[in-house]
Amino acid sequence: MANIIYITEDGNRHEVEVESGSSIMDGAVNNGIEGIVAECGGACACATCHSFIAPEWLDKIPKKDDMEEFMLENVVGNKANSRLTCQVEVTDALDGLIVYVAQN
Ligand code: FES
C-alpha cells in the first residue's frame, strides 16, 4: 500500500491509498481522479493515462520498456518525466509519489 498524490490539471491535490501490485492508473481510476481516462484498460495501447512523474521520483520508479517508449513518442506534450501510468506498478516504496496528470 502506498499513498499516491495526484495533482490534476486544475491544480487540485488528491492523496489516495493505492494497493501494491496495482498500477498508478488503477489507483487513479478506482478513486475517480479526473484526467486519467485509461481507454484501453491498461494494455499500453491508448496513452490516455499519460501523466508526469515528479522529477525527484523518476529514479525510484521502474524504467520504461520499449512499448511504452514507443507510445509516448506519439503523445502530444511528451516530456522527459512522462509515463503511461498503467505501466508503473505501485509498491510500498512509492509511498508519497507525486503524479501530475496530463491533459488526456
Ligand atoms: S491505459 Fe491505455 S495506455 Fe495506459
Side-chain angles (χ1 to χ4, degrees):
M1 195 75 88
N3 281 324
I4 306 291
I5 298 153
Y6 299 88
I7 312 288
T8 46
E9 271 225 293
D10 54 12
N12 285 329
R13 183 182 190 277
H14 310 266
E15 183 166 345
V16 299
E17 280 195 342
V18 181
E19 199 76 47
S20 295
S22 62
S23 69
I24 296 175
M25 176 276 278
D26 289 325
V29 169
N30 292 340
N31 289 283
I33 305 297
E34 203 171 310
I36 296 189
V37 182
E39 272 177 4
C40 76
C44 198
C46 71
T48 61
C49 64
H50 175 217
S51 294
F52 306 104
I53 303 299
E56 64 270 27
W57 282 93
L58 277 179
D59 60 355
K60 299 184 180 87
I61 62 172
K63 303 289 175 225
K64 292 172 241 186
D65 65 13
D66 291 347
M67 183 64 180
E68 184 184 353
E69 191 82 62
F70 174 77
M71 289 296 293
L72 281 169
E73 282 171 8
N74 296 296
V75 166
V76 176
N78 181 27
K79 298 182 192 170
N81 61 338
S82 286
R83 292 301 301 263
L84 297 181
T85 54
C86 68
Q87 300 302 301
V88 183
E89 184 178 319
V90 172
T91 64
D92 294 356
L94 296 190
D95 190 46
L97 175 71
I98 300 171
V99 178
Y100 295 89
V101 178
Q103 189 173 26
N104 290 307

